[in-house]
Amino acid sequence: MGQGQQETVPTSLAGAVGEEIGAFLAPVDAELDRHYPGDPGTRQPVHTVYVPADVFAADTIRTWGDRALAALDEHAPDAASFAACLGLSDELAEPVYTRVRAKLEREPVEDLRVDFEDGYGPRPDAEEDAAAARAARLIAEAFARGAAAPSMGIRMKCMEAAVRERGIRTLDVFLTGLAQAGGLPDGLVLTLPKVTYPEQVTAMVRLLEAFEKARGLEPGRLGFEIQIETSQAILAADGTATVARMIRAAEGRATGLHYGTFDYSACLGVSAAHQASDHPVADHAKAVMQVAAAGTGVRVSDGSTNVLPVGPTEQVHDAWRLHYGLTRRALARAYYQGWDMHPGHLPTRYAAVFAFYREGFARAAERLSRYAHRAGGDVMDEPATAKALSGYLLRGLDCGALDLDEVTRATGLSRAAVEAFAAPRRGDLTASAN
């Protein structure tokens, strides 16, 4: 064959065949795009702190940070004592401890929910109205002066008949207060608890649509988290996975699925002494949630522990080890967020998160660098693995476990380049390396 000539490769199918298949699968393509858009690519907080509405104050976030630092000062005043308590390696002890203290000083809470549900309970209407209006004012002021957590909002009462009207009114008072105080902040998050039927999710969608219309907001401006706290939220009476139907019922507004450790465990008859986020019933529920949410852009959050780090040092250390272990266990299972119930949980939340990202940093950076620069290596990574590696590094950067300059040095990539690997096109992931 002469130079510049292209060999003709024989085929058997007419071009119309591909066109017909494309037309046949067009609805499926649209379904994939609509229901599985992938991760939003925004920062996911490592935890959610919830504070009863009657005790929420302008200085709550700073108070939590100061109490957490005081707990370290009293029970682990240096890196060596903290590492000995948690079993941190000598290599990790100092950098983790230093970063934990810096985090508690700079940004002690990443996500805060003012609680009008179990942590608040039933109150006279006038009292809850005032608390909702106060929460709106304080959150608006916090965002305005740069003192807010990256995300903040409320957990309203659920859509069950006994408390439905009260929950709707609290949400209305809160959102109206924010709107009147200068508009809804970008970090606003709403949590709908104790969801049992997809219709309750649809009701929340209709409620938010009505508010957006009443205030002249862009349609779809308001999203919400669905809290999974009942058996019916996982398995419907007809045997279907209810949580998947709930995501669909949210019509694109669902931002998260949050596991409720104690309500869910009690619903399944687990005795109080064994209600924990590592119980088999918890593992099953979260696995169902994780599969249902995969690819939808809805993120999954673990629950909490109710063992508080209070009392003498030995007791605090026991509680810290429990919380640290549960957090590390969740991270290994790809639950990158959980709930913290006490300021004393903050040191071990951040210690677990920072240790998780720092101990795997060098290997993840090396593998991503080799993949990005086509350098080969001892692991044959594919686009899906590159996505996981870059996502790991980005989460480490967002929470403060890693610094951008060390990631750039180790990978040879800018943050934008790392983000590009974390959000590949769908076809890049489905194409096989074979």
Side-chain angles (χ1 to χ4, degrees):
M1 181 177 292
Q3 186 176 4
Q5 290 182 311
Q6 187 172 357
E7 181 180 0
T8 300
V9 178
T11 61
S12 300
L13 299 177
V17 174
E19 295 174 3
E20 290 172 2
I21 290 176
F24 172 73
L25 291 178
V28 173
D29 295 338
E31 283 279 301
L32 283 170
D33 289 340
R34 182 162 63 253
H35 297 298
Y36 296 96
D39 189 86
T42 54
R43 175 181 178 181
Q44 181 180 12
V46 302
H47 70 169
T48 297
V49 162
Y50 83 91
V51 179
D54 56 326
V55 300
F56 176 60
D59 63 349
T60 290
I61 293 175
R62 186 62 264 152
T63 297
W64 271 58
D66 291 343
R67 289 175 63 187
L69 286 165
L72 279 178
D73 290 340
E74 180 176 358
H75 303 294
D78 52 43
S81 57
F82 197 47
C85 170
L86 301 180
L88 294 172
S89 67
D90 292 342
E91 182 182 2
L92 286 175
E94 189 63 44
V96 166
Y97 189 76
T98 300
R99 286 173 187 271
V100 167
R101 293 198 68 98
K103 180 76 169 182
L104 295 174
E105 292 167 355
R106 181 186 75 254
E107 187 183 70
V109 174
E110 291 196 357
D111 182 36
L112 186 143
R113 210 70 72 250
V114 182
D115 190 27
F116 288 88
E117 204 231 353
D118 285 349
Y120 184 71
R123 305 290 179 102
D125 283 340
E127 183 178 344
E128 185 158 339
D129 279 354
R134 178 172 166 274
R137 175 175 56 80
L138 292 177
I139 288 177
E141 290 174 354
F143 276 107
R145 69 174 190 273
S151 54
M152 298 181 73
I154 67 168
R155 180 169 73 166
M156 59 189 281
K157 289 179 171 64
C158 70
M159 284 291 181
E160 293 179 359
V163 294
R164 182 185 305 142
E165 185 176 351
R166 180 62 260 180
I168 291 172
R169 180 171 175 83
T170 295
L171 183 66
D172 186 10
V173 170
F174 174 72
L175 291 177
T176 299
L178 284 179
Q180 292 179 339
L184 306 182
D186 290 338
L188 175 65
V189 187
L190 308 173
T191 304
L192 178 66
K194 292 185 175 61
V195 182
T196 54
Y197 284 85
E199 289 81 1
Q200 293 169 329
V201 175
T202 300
M204 183 68 166
V205 171
R206 299 295 171 257
L207 178 61
L208 297 180
E209 286 176 342
F211 185 85
E212 289 166 351
K213 184 176 181 180
R215 302 296 306 191
L217 300 174
E218 178 184 358
R221 168 66 179 83
L222 292 165
F224 61 99
E225 302 165 334
I226 301 169
Q227 198 156 13
I228 305 300
E229 302 177 89
T230 67
S231 61
Q232 298 93 336
I234 295 296
L235 191 69
D238 62 1
T240 59
T242 319
V243 66
R245 293 163 57 192
M246 289 177 179
I247 293 173
R248 181 71 64 95
E251 300 177 17
R253 292 179 185 264
T255 59
L257 300 175
H258 285 237
Y259 176 68
T261 305
F262 306 105
D263 282 283
Y264 188 86
S265 298
C267 182
L268 269 68
V270 179
S271 61
H274 297 282
Q275 293 177 359
S277 61
D278 59 351
H279 191 281
V281 303
D283 285 342
H284 172 261
K286 287 180 287 189
V288 174
M289 292 162 58
Q290 189 174 41
V291 173
T296 66
V298 178
R299 290 161 165 170
V300 175
S301 172
D302 198 3
S304 60
T305 176
N306 59 359
V307 179
L308 305 183
V310 297
T313 295
E314 183 178 359
Q315 186 172 325
V316 170
H317 282 193
D318 286 343
W320 272 353
R321 280 189 286 270
L322 174 65
H323 185 243
Y324 178 87
L326 291 173
T327 303
R328 287 300 305 261
R329 184 179 189 272
L331 290 167
R333 286 158 173 75
Y335 308 131
Y336 299 113
Q337 185 174 354
W339 282 56
D340 290 328
M341 302 180 70
H342 188 274
H345 286 142
L346 299 185
T348 39
R349 170 67 62 182
Y350 291 124
V353 171
F354 293 168
F356 177 74
Y357 289 113
R358 291 210 65 79
E359 68 187 19
F361 163 60
R363 182 60 169 156
E366 177 193 15
R367 287 177 64 181
L368 184 62
S369 177
R370 286 183 175 277
Y371 179 86
H373 300 101
R374 301 182 183 275
D378 59 346
V379 179
M380 184 179 291
D381 287 324
E382 297 190 4
T385 309
K387 177 180 179 180
L389 292 167
S390 55
Y392 175 90
L393 296 176
L394 290 169
R395 284 189 293 270
L397 285 169
D398 286 342
C399 70
L402 306 175
D403 298 324
L404 183 56
D405 58 348
E406 65 179 341
V407 172
T408 299
R409 284 197 305 271
T411 62
L413 301 171
S414 66
R415 175 163 182 137
V418 176
E419 289 175 344
F421 282 112
R425 296 169 298 177
R426 190 187 308 280
D428 293 337
L429 286 181
T430 55
S432 171
N434 295 323

